[in-house]
Amino acid sequence: MTGLVARIEAATPPGRDRAVDALRALAILGVVGGHWLVTALVTDSGTVRGASPLTAIPHLIPVSWVFQTLAVFFLVGGMVAAQSWDAARKRGVPYGQWVGGRLARLFRPVAAVLVVWALAAAVMLVAGVGEATVRALVKLVWSPLWFLLVFAVLTALTPLVARLHPLWPLVVVLHVDLVRLGLGGPRELGWVNVVAGWLVPYCLGALVARGGLRGRTSRWALLLGGAAGVFALVLWAGYPASMVGVPGGRISNLDPPSLAVVAFGLAQCGAALLLLGPLSRVLRRPAAWVVVAVVNLSAMTVFLWHQTAMIVVTMSALLFADGPLPGLHTVPDDAGWVLARLLWLPLFALALLGCWAVFRSYEQGGRRGGGSLVVRESAPERKGWARRA
């Protein structure tokens, strides 16, 4: 372990922004933890269906405030993409080459999970597994991939949106919600917010990349203003308090993104920017930095396979156990389920570690073998962690 810490510390470029890497790692781990805590697979009359404890246990709603971290991911994405495009443009790198490289790194590991689960679904259907069960499992794995499509669109639009002030997409979200929710307009209008809603933190990241929001006062204003906005929208405008979708709810804050979740994201971004300084100081310690570095090395692999890890544990236990196990196959409707689920999380993590061991090469350029971990970061691309022989 000491040798690994020393190698990673030695391989890290002096100018590496470790705090930004930490924010990205926290965002990915937040999504993973949130899914594991608020997603259940329930056995019901020979089938497996998805369920959420938030439906029956509203006291768990604050969990969604902690683990809904997508805004931070888009904030970091906007910062990095804006810096990368600016550097590439100065070096004369054409747009097609720049965006092609970034999207290839994004979607290379996605192809693996799509192929594996397409084959798994076919095998399950041939083996006689019910269509409802197969549909529930595949949806659980594939549905989180929506945000990667949005992220890819925003990445491709970086040259156009890098200098767009985040207030503009925020105004779009406000007017869309006013029409669809306040004036009874068409629900389909809400899909405009799928791009506009996440464009807010993405543009905020680009603003930070070009020198904006440097002072603590502006960051505190972002945090407190966003929090006040969420408070007002939930109390007086009828928005749900949960920052994730709740089955059976009147409206969802996430599907599509609402003004409430965008305001919540602004508060999160303010908090994240305030953390940059403290994180930079903490991550000067090699032992702390190695944790962030390893997570960033395989962040997309962790995200893409975390639901598969939960499914592997859940379905394996269903095959070998005498009956439904608490916190794994039972209806999530009381505190006992929550406590039992917490006990299963280490097994989910162990299964995810197995998935990481098998599929990490797809994120790291397809290279395996006895290479050494190094940090490599080119000025225009911020490629970060990679594995080389």
Side-chain angles (χ1 to χ4, degrees), residues 33 47 72 88-89 105 188 219 242 245 249 251 267 273 331 374:
T47 64
V72 177
R89 184 170 49 85
R105 291 197 299 275
E188 293 76 12
R219 297 177 180 187
S242 173
I251 62 172
L273 293 174
V331 177
V374 299

Side-chain angles (χ1 to χ4, degrees), residues 141-161:
V141 174
W142 286 3
S143 58
L145 302 185
W146 67 264
F147 103 88
L148 293 180
L149 295 177
V150 178
F151 190 79
V153 169
L154 297 186
T155 298
L157 292 176
T158 296
L160 295 177
V161 303

Side-chain angles (χ1 to χ4, degrees), residues 9 14 22 35 47-48 60 69 102 113 129 143 180 187 190 203 215 225 248 265 280 307 314 332 360 377 385 387:
E9 181 66 21
H35 282 163
T47 64
V48 174
L60 279 182
T69 52
R102 297 193 73 82
V113 75
V129 178
S143 58
R180 72 183 180 104
R187 296 181 59 186
C203 288
S280 295
Q307 295 287 60
T314 303
R360 72 185 189 276
E377 180 185 61
W385 284 92
R387 187 179 181 91

Side-chain angles (χ1 to χ4, degrees), residues 216-240:
R216 291 180 60 84
T217 300
S218 59
R219 297 177 180 187
W220 272 109
L222 192 61
L223 168 59
L224 297 178
V230 176
F231 184 82
L233 290 168
V234 170
L235 284 186
W236 298 308
Y239 285 85

